[in-house]
Amino acid sequence: MNDTPEDPTTQARAAVADRIAAAFADAGVDGAVHAVDIDRGTEAGHGADRLVCTASVHKLCLLLALHRLAAAGRLDLTEQVECAVEGRTPGGTGLAAMLDASRMSLRDLAYLMIAVSDNAAADLLLARVGLEEVNRTTRALGLRHTRAVESFAAMQEGMREDAGPAAARALTDPLVLARLRALDPRHGNRSTPRELTRLLGAVWRDEFLPEAHGAAVRRLLGLQVWPHRLASGFPFDDVQVFGKTGTLPTLRAEAGVVEYPDGGRYAVAVFTRAADTRHVVPAADAVIGLVARLAVDGLRGAS
């Protein structure tokens, strides 16, 4: 029998993981989270290496690929793109919800893609950058499990095919949801919470992109408009939250960075799947902020 007392740091980390697991259970979701102190490297989490469907969180990877090409002189972020109405990827925000043709720069499309998660803007950028360039970018970051396999239009079309004739009306039926390829990380765009925090840490430390491009990426993530997930856990005027959400039926997620006024910087990625199949489940959104706060508080207490 081993009577050696457990290391206090290990005990504290286990206690944080237990509180996170309890919060997920109370919200009625299956969740995974990873948080890391960007400067010290200390970490906290629960299911951090679980393969997850990234949904719109994968727009982070596309954004980095765009800026990597620009930094290499292979494209100009002020390049103008014709945004036709025909063939536009559907969605409820940005160009996807607009009725008329327009013309805008690559960097303004990137703003819409991140700030309001515009699917049409994302697919216009993806047409310019290419799926393989997105994957080259994540490979260059050492992200072995992060992969882009389809556009956002293709993901939507796959859901329509899997849902059958009832289409969107069927997306609260558990039997329909069980056959959606978009909710199976073996088939769609995918990553892990740990790999997404590694990506964010590299951007915040200016290790992957030149400083000007890193600053541009951080600026866009700071302009995201959604306050109901990650940011809900940090309701303080002097704490800044940068992030990108992702949503699919029963899936809610966000990856981002929390900055404290004392200089503390924490990358966090949270992914959840709800048992409740309704489209509006406030507890499933709020738990993202709650577990992020638990993880970050644990890291700050350990520093």
Side-chain angles (χ1 to χ4, degrees), residues 1-158:
M1 181 175 177
N2 185 1
D3 293 323
T4 304
E6 192 174 15
D7 177 79
T9 302
T10 302
Q11 289 180 326
R13 188 179 295 122
V16 170
D18 287 345
R19 288 196 289 272
I20 288 171
F24 281 141
D26 288 346
V29 303
D30 178 33
V33 57
H34 186 251
V36 62
D37 184 316
I38 289 172
D39 301 298
R40 292 183 174 88
T42 53
E43 57 185 346
H46 172 82
D49 296 308
R50 184 185 304 175
L51 197 65
V52 293
C53 298
T54 45
S56 284
V57 173
H58 220 97
K59 291 167 183 171
L60 274 174
C61 304
L62 174 54
L63 181 64
L64 261 63
L66 176 74
H67 277 271
R68 185 170 181 242
L69 289 175
R74 294 171 57 191
L75 58 75
D76 183 343
L77 291 171
T78 66
E79 176 185 321
Q80 298 293 302
V81 176
E82 299 295 336
C83 310
V85 175
E86 278 190 18
R88 188 177 286 177
T89 304
T93 59
L95 283 171
M98 295 179 189
L99 301 177
D100 299 314
S102 62
R103 190 169 187 263
M104 65 177 60
S105 66
L106 292 173
R107 63 185 178 183
D108 283 345
L109 288 171
Y111 160 71
L112 290 174
M113 174 179 74
I114 298 300
V116 296
S117 203
D118 182 352
N119 288 331
D123 275 345
L124 286 168
L125 290 172
L126 190 57
R128 179 66 176 84
V129 170
L131 278 172
E132 188 45 46
E133 187 62 39
V134 176
N135 289 325
R136 274 193 287 269
T137 297
T138 52
R139 284 197 299 270
L141 277 161
L143 309 184
R144 297 190 302 112
H145 302 292
T146 302
R147 184 162 179 80
V149 300
E150 61 186 356
S151 68
F152 296 94
M155 181 174 63
Q156 292 178 352
E157 180 57 32

Side-chain angles (χ1 to χ4, degrees), residues 162-188:
D162 293 343
R169 296 190 305 278
L171 293 180
T172 57
D173 183 338
L175 294 178
V176 172
L177 294 173
R179 65 174 182 256
L180 290 187
R181 287 167 290 174
L183 294 176
D184 185 344
R186 296 171 300 176
H187 296 292

